[in-house]
Amino acid sequence: MTAAGADTRMPPSMLLGVLAAVTAASFVLSLLVGPSGFGFGPAGEAGTLIFWEIRLPRAVLGALAGAALGLAGAALQGYLRNPLAEPGLIGVSGGAALGAVLAIHLGLSQAVALALPVGGLAGAAAAMLAVVSLAGMQGGAVTLILAGLAVSAICTALISLALNLSQNPFASVEMVFWLMGSLADRSLTQVWLAAPLILVGLALLLSVGRALDALTLGEDAARSLGVDLSRTRLAIVAGTTLAVGAATAVTGVIGFVGLLVPHVLRPLVGHRPGLLLPVSMLGGATFLLIADVGLRLAQPAVELRIGVLTALIGAPFFVWLVLRTRGELTP
Amino acid sequence: MRIEAEGVRARLAGREVLKSFAFTAHPGQLTAVIGPNGAGKSTLLRTIAGLLAPDAGTIRIGDRDFAQWPRADLARVLGYLPQDRIVHWPLSARIVVGLGRLPHRSSAAGESREDTAAIDAAMSSMQVAGLEDRPVTSLSGGERARVLLARVLAQQPRILLADEPAAGLDPAQQLALFQHLTRIAADGCTVVVAVHDLSLAARFCHSIVLVHKGAVVAAGSPAEVLTPAHLAATYGIEARYHVIDGVPVVLPVSVLP
């Protein structure tokens, strides 16, 4: 474990200020970069169109989805007191993916453009209801993880079934691509559909900071400090469903951000789970924005999807985590 | 602040652990709860702390009935120290002690001047001021126990419930810990500790409550409670109660058949 002394760290307000500035800069950078050249697009109608219809939705979505994944990851790691927890653990991502895949499979997305994100949202909500009714509102952390795993497994099985039964090769390709996650070619309408839900989810998740700090001392001590654990659990489950469910419904599955970002940033806040929440939210947004900029710079040489890129970055990171944990366990 | 419990029944996972319990603890006193493993000591403390809802009976904290204490208010007067010295993240000792200020803080506010003063006072009183930047996970058992006790003190409770705070500590640390607890009680706090070491209980506690199978067998001064008859009936041991150089000692001699 990192033994960072208090004196070597920035005060929280300064750290948050610096991160907010970095996030804002990444957002602007994301608006400036694209295949049509650096800057706010070419002059004239085409430029305006590129800015409003392509770059702005992409940047807003990148920032919101990254913020949702980073914050939800930090909240779940704090609540479950486990550094390996991530938003997908409680079944929300799986539910959103299943909902979207079904929308494609049933041909709804061909008929109505918004059927895909709406399907994803419905899937995320259904997954949350299933997890909550399985785990109960009072149960401990372990029951929540088990219920999340069970629901995720069911979603994965049904996604495989949909892919398997798909008669239409185009639909199959669309499903597979959607499962890889992407920020490209999303309309402002889709962004406006997801943004309010994501923002409410973020607010709910940010509200549990004190509870997570208190939970460092265990559930009994946290309750004796006046923390309402049922309320905390509800805020985390509902907040994750809204933020990550809505983000996933529009972008597809983007893995590892929720695991990696809180993990990397934790030493910066002296491992305080409450302070880690806003820090991971900003860090997640920055990470996804920068990753997406990198993706566009690599075009047209390589056509990569953001979910594939985050997995390519995240999986080696996971290997490093395993090696480090092994190093800690063997003297 | 006085604690009074009457006719308290409580169950844990369906099993009745407390059967019609009566219990009183006074401000300025160190009260020990003793009894064999599984007697219900921890359940008693958790019920008084409001962590376990009793099935029946009344608990009064100060001049109010338990039901009239909102959770947030109770957290400002009652500190609870669990038996397991869990700290899940490698937080610095000072931040851990600062967690005791959570009930006194509004959610948005940072550390106020009172918070800082309470944290500093708690840390110097537990002699852990020098450890403030060390991650708690790197501290020794005794140091960690003192940091966690400082956490409860920073809460500035008028009632302190500690579940086996001396468990796993070496004799020097146990003595120091009980001297700290005695001092906290002398400052006017109502201190209740679950204890396994009968000699420590006899030496430091003003009154002792002996629990067996979820009921109180005896309550009173150490000399009244720690009699061979009581210890034989509850622990199933033959024990002697001696006073050596003014220090009471309970010596378990043998297990009764």
Side-chain angles (χ1 to χ4, degrees):
Chain A
M1 291 287 162
T2 327
D7 50 333
T8 62
R9 291 192 303 266
M10 270 189 255
S13 50
M14 195 199 285
L15 178 67
L16 286 173
V18 169
L19 271 170
V22 171
T23 309
S26 318
F27 183 77
V28 173
L29 186 67
S30 174
L31 289 176
L32 291 175
V33 174
S36 68
F38 190 80
F40 287 104
E45 210 171 302
T48 317
L49 206 66
I50 285 174
F51 181 80
W52 287 103
E53 296 296 325
I54 296 176
R55 289 193 184 171
L56 187 65
R58 189 165 182 162
V60 171
L61 204 55
L64 286 176
L69 292 167
L71 176 55
L76 282 166
Q77 290 180 6
Y79 177 66
L80 301 173
R81 283 150 282 157
N82 187 332
L84 296 182
E86 56 120 10
L89 201 66
I90 61 167
V92 173
S93 318
L98 176 62
V101 162
L102 282 181
I104 301 170
H105 182 74
L106 301 173
L108 297 175
S109 62
Q110 296 289 29
V112 194
L114 281 183
L116 195 59
V118 169
L121 284 174
M128 180 194 90
L129 288 179
V131 167
V132 167
S133 50
L134 258 179
M137 277 321 293
Q138 303 292 334
V142 177
T143 52
L144 189 68
I145 297 178
L146 287 175
L149 280 175
V151 170
S152 295
I154 293 170
C155 291
T156 310
L158 292 178
I159 289 171
S160 305
L161 182 68
L163 283 168
N164 192 164
L165 294 182
S166 175
Q167 303 288 336
N168 178 346
F170 295 107
S172 304
V173 170
E174 202 188 338
M175 285 184 226
V176 170
F177 274 167
W178 194 88
L179 286 173
M180 289 176 184
S182 173
L183 297 170
D185 309 324
R186 265 53 178 177
S187 70
L188 264 183
T189 322
Q190 283 179 320
V191 173
W192 293 140
L193 176 75
L197 300 173
I198 296 178
L199 290 175
V200 173
L202 294 179
L204 274 175
L205 291 172
L206 283 173
S207 76
V208 300
R210 276 157 63 90
L212 297 190
D213 280 344
L215 269 173
T216 303
L217 300 172
E219 297 192 353
D220 271 357
R223 286 174 63 206
S224 78
L225 285 166
V227 168
D228 183 341
L229 286 183
S230 313
R231 201 208 144 270
T232 304
R233 186 184 175 99
L234 182 67
I236 286 175
V237 172
T240 304
T241 304
L242 285 167
V244 176
T248 308
V250 177
T251 64
V253 181
I254 300 176
F256 288 102
V257 179
L259 172 73
L260 186 143
V261 167
H263 225 293
V264 170
L265 296 177
R266 184 168 284 116
L268 287 185
V269 295
H271 299 260
R272 273 177 281 183
L275 185 54
L276 186 61
L277 295 178
V279 166
S280 296
M281 180 176 78
L282 295 170
T286 305
F287 176 75
L288 210 57
L289 284 167
I290 295 292
D292 188 44
V293 166
L295 217 60
R296 277 179 274 168
L297 288 178
Q299 280 173 347
V302 216
E303 200 66 50
L304 262 188
R305 274 156 201 280
I306 189 91
V308 178
L309 181 67
T310 58
L312 282 174
I313 300 172
F317 174 77
F318 211 89
V319 171
W320 174 75
L321 261 184
V322 172
L323 290 176
R324 202 186 61 166
T325 310
R326 198 181 66 176
E328 271 167 16
L329 293 181
T330 47
Chain B
M1 221 172 239
R2 214 171 127 90
I3 306 170
E4 269 176 291
E6 188 68 54
V8 173
R9 293 168 174 276
R11 56 182 66 237
L12 212 58
R15 195 172 68 91
E16 187 155 73
V17 182
L18 297 183
K19 299 160 185 165
S20 193
F21 207 99
F23 176 84
T24 313
H26 301 277
Q29 290 203 345
L30 186 52
T31 304
V33 179
I34 62 168
N37 285 331
K41 300 187 293 293
S42 295
T43 309
L44 169 67
L45 290 188
R46 292 183 73 235
T47 309
I48 298 171
L51 300 171
L52 190 68
D55 291 340
T58 55
I59 302 174
R60 289 176 70 79
I61 303 284
D63 50 10
R64 275 196 267 172
D65 215 64
F66 209 91
Q68 288 157 326
W69 278 100
R71 185 84 247 180
D73 289 0
L74 191 64
R76 281 190 280 271
V77 298
L78 188 148
Y80 171 74
L81 193 63
Q83 184 177 351
D84 46 41
R85 300 189 187 105
I86 287 179
V87 181
H88 284 285
W89 304 105
L91 301 180
S92 76
R94 191 185 165 84
I95 288 173
V96 168
V97 175
L99 292 176
R101 297 306 297 166
L102 284 177
H104 298 275
R105 232 189 258 181
S106 72
S107 40
E111 198 176 294
S112 71
R113 205 172 301 162
E114 291 98 85
D115 292 336
T116 311
I119 295 168
D120 288 341
M123 293 194 79
S124 68
S125 143
M126 283 303 120
Q127 294 153 15
V128 289
L131 308 174
E132 64 174 8
D133 290 336
R134 294 263 306 276
V136 176
T137 39
S138 76
L139 300 179
S140 73
E143 289 169 334
R144 189 193 276 227
R146 293 212 308 275
V147 167
L148 289 174
L149 193 52
R151 188 279 293 173
V152 196
L153 287 192
Q155 208 174 334
Q156 296 178 320
R158 300 178 61 192
I159 294 172
L160 169 58
L161 308 173
D163 198 350
E164 295 196 26
L169 300 185
D170 68 35
Q173 290 168 339
Q174 289 191 339
L175 283 179
L177 186 97
F178 268 86
Q179 278 159 1
H180 287 309
L181 291 171
T182 309
R183 219 182 49 231
I184 296 164
D187 287 342
C189 190
T190 308
V191 185
V192 182
V193 280
V195 198
H196 256 313
D197 189 315
L198 301 177
S199 294
L200 280 174
R203 178 169 174 186
F204 289 100
C205 297
H206 302 96
S207 75
I208 294 184
V209 176
L210 175 58
V211 186
H212 186 46
K213 293 181 178 166
V216 173
V217 176
S221 72
E224 288 164 359
V225 174
L226 298 170
T227 61
H230 283 149
L231 296 177
T234 53
Y235 289 92
I237 53 171
E238 186 197 342
R240 308 264 160 74
Y241 183 91
H242 290 298
V243 178
I244 303 171
D245 297 339
V247 176
V249 174
V250 180
L251 182 68
V253 179
S254 63
V255 179
L256 293 171

